[in-house]
Amino acid sequence: MHYETITYEVSDNICVVTLNRPDVMNALDTQMRAEITQAVRQGGKEARVVVLTGAGGRAFCSGQDLGDGANAANLDLERVLRDEYEPMLKAIYDCPVPTISAVNGTAAGAGANLALAADVVIATQSAVFIQAFTRIGLIPDAGGSYYLPRQMGMAKAMGAALFADKISARQADDWGMIYEAVADDGFEAHWRKRAAHLANGPTAAYNALKQAIRASFDNTLDEQLALEARLQGKCGQTRDFKEGVVAFLEKRPANYEGR
């Protein structure tokens, strides 16, 4: 597929989807949302890890492209969220392989919550996250009301949403909002190393792991133990498990195939 608002690259089992509208800080328009949706689905089939990042260095994603004020005020936001954002966010959530957001600049509004939709968020120390919605009379959307309290707790989530403060990557790291904040120098090399680790890992186990951790919020202990047993039983039938055991006994690195 030919992409115009993003770039798509697959190499060494790593798919990198780069938001590529740097002139508007990688703001999300209709075409970009559709292209991200397609690219993540494609990457989930062609690679063993999918990375989302932004072009230009200033921003990961500045959120919804509001265009001029007149058009923005007349947006049917319910339709846009239902028909355009929801498929994109579900494509990331349902991706069968691990997903990483490599946040290399400002992540604001829907752009912040796009980042948080990934399994792992790695940010430069200079990056900031802004739940900017109340600044224009809106509530957090693009999954923000779901992800924020789960990742940073009710108190921090409520404050971040109400005040729309800038949250530095270091704060986000300290609060559990993201996985890690790392130095700007060497950032790409760092997230590529992280991606390579996952791309060479036991892919089926990663998929089961995501299912188990997500289900834990709604399950009782008995339900969670039963789910663990069922998923672990499936993992135990994979070639990767057998390879992992043999590699452990032979004291060598495992050569996982992702099946």
Side-chain angles (χ1 to χ4, degrees), residues 52 63 82 94 116 118 122 132 147 156 174 176 216 221 236 248 255 259:
L52 295 169
R82 183 185 62 242
D94 294 335
L116 298 182
I122 303 171
Y147 289 114
K156 294 295 187 186
D174 289 342
S216 68
L221 176 60
F248 175 80
N255 182 25
R259 52 188 176 138

Side-chain angles (χ1 to χ4, degrees), residues 28-192:
L28 295 158
D29 64 4
T30 294
Q31 183 174 353
M32 180 181 272
R33 288 189 287 273
E35 291 188 357
I36 292 171
T37 303
Q38 175 60 31
V40 171
R41 289 173 178 167
Q42 185 178 349
K45 297 175 182 177
E46 297 181 347
R48 289 167 63 185
V49 62
V50 174
V51 180
L52 295 169
T53 193
R58 293 174 58 211
F60 169 78
C61 178
S62 60
Q64 169 71 31
D65 186 352
L66 295 174
D68 64 58
N71 289 334
N74 292 321
L75 277 175
D76 182 347
L77 293 177
E78 182 176 357
R79 184 204 64 77
V80 171
L81 288 168
R82 183 185 62 242
D83 295 346
E84 299 180 18
Y85 278 94
E86 186 175 320
M88 176 181 69
L89 295 165
K90 285 188 173 180
I92 298 169
Y93 188 88
D94 294 335
C95 189
V97 300
T99 56
I100 295 174
S101 288
V103 179
N104 55 329
T106 298
N113 297 331
L114 171 63
L116 298 182
D119 298 318
V120 175
V121 183
I122 303 171
T124 60
Q125 290 180 347
S126 64
V128 294
F129 297 82
I130 314 170
Q131 294 295 319
F133 301 93
T134 58
R135 296 182 181 184
I136 55 171
L138 297 177
I139 67 168
D141 62 21
S145 63
Y146 180 87
Y147 289 114
L148 286 171
R150 283 166 169 77
Q151 293 174 338
M152 55 198 294
M154 183 64 73
K156 294 295 187 186
M158 192 67 77
L162 287 170
F163 292 114
D165 290 333
K166 288 184 178 180
I167 300 170
S168 71
R170 290 185 177 182
Q171 282 179 301
D173 187 6
D174 289 342
W175 293 353
M177 183 180 174
I178 67 174
Y179 182 63
E180 60 184 352
V182 301
D184 289 40
D185 291 344
F187 176 66
E188 182 172 346
H190 177 84
W191 66 251
R192 284 190 179 274

Side-chain angles (χ1 to χ4, degrees), residues 207-217 224 227-228 231:
N207 184 281
L209 177 156
K210 294 202 292 184
Q211 294 178 55
I213 290 179
R214 289 168 176 171
S216 68
F217 287 95
Q224 191 66 17
L227 176 62
E228 285 180 356
L231 293 172

